[in-house]
Amino acid sequence: MSFDRDRLLSLPPRVTHHRYTRRDTMLYALGVGAGQQSDKDDLRFVYEEGLQTLPTMAVVLAYPGFWQKEPEYGIDWKRVLHAEQSVVFHAPLPVEGEVRGELTIDHIVDKGADKGALLYSTRKIFDAATGTLLASVTQVSFLRGDGGCGGPSLPPRAPHQVPSSAADERAELATRPEQALIYRLSGDYNPLHANPAVAAAAGLDRPILHGLCTYGIAGRALLAALCGNDPARLARLDCRFTAPVFPGDRLELALWRGAPGEASFQVRAPERNALVLDNGFAEFTI
């Protein structure tokens, strides 16, 4: 089926049900680096006594898989890039239970026949037992092969701009050589993150880390710096993916404190002089 912008925008929500356990909650936390340091604060995310859920686990709950690959959407899936990620956290995530995800395609921006298109989608995650809205997960996908699809010629949504001044705080973030192999057990089995042959076919010298793993690693650091590691205090986390991270990279997070309850951030891989997350924005309660 060919790419049809109007049809995609008219599709009903795609519903996914997901039951997860306390083990899954701990495994996600390990996948984004919790427990690497001898910090007892991390125990709340990786140990069953007093277990809490990292807010960024919302990105893997009711995950519908690589839905852009399915023929009914008509997307040139081999040329899709994950461009931006935003999550609004409405309520703390249960440490176990069942959730329902409702995915909608919100908006498609045609950049031109040879420039691709931007697809904005949102997955609302509900507690299946209570109906409580837990999180709204918004993703921007760059469809490099689907430009010229028509529709209103609207500019892309402007990303958050980080300050040009020196950062207020910096934090070093470690990744492990096997980080992607752990993170993929939370549901994203794209072989690009595990199989050297697949990575080589994509022009990479080795498998790369999942963008959402880097997002979760940054989220952990921001939760500690801004929220005292209290998951209930993080309200929103946005970023743009700008370069790949390789498992084992040392990362550096730069943090700018803004208005009360707001902060900006970037993440770099300093040894490669690569900016890997940009336009970062966090909201939190104080």
Side-chain angles (χ1 to χ4, degrees), residues 170-191:
R170 294 185 182 273
E172 286 201 1
L173 312 174
T175 71
R176 298 176 60 90
E178 72 276 21
Q179 197 81 58
L181 298 177
I182 301 172
Y183 182 82
R184 71 193 303 267
L185 299 179
S186 288
D188 187 341
Y189 293 104
N190 186 335

Side-chain angles (χ1 to χ4, degrees), residues 179-249:
Q179 197 81 58
L181 298 177
I182 301 172
Y183 182 82
R184 71 193 303 267
L185 299 179
S186 288
D188 187 341
Y189 293 104
N190 186 335
L192 181 67
H193 307 293
N195 188 329
V198 173
L204 299 164
D205 61 0
R206 60 190 188 278
I208 61 173
L209 196 61
H210 307 68
L212 287 178
C213 182
T214 306
Y215 175 86
I217 291 169
R220 276 184 46 242
L222 293 163
L223 187 69
L226 303 174
C227 306
N229 258 344
D230 180 356
R233 291 178 56 194
L234 189 62
R236 184 184 186 116
L237 192 64
D238 301 354
C239 74
R240 173 175 283 189
F241 301 105
T242 49
V245 171
F246 293 95
D249 274 351

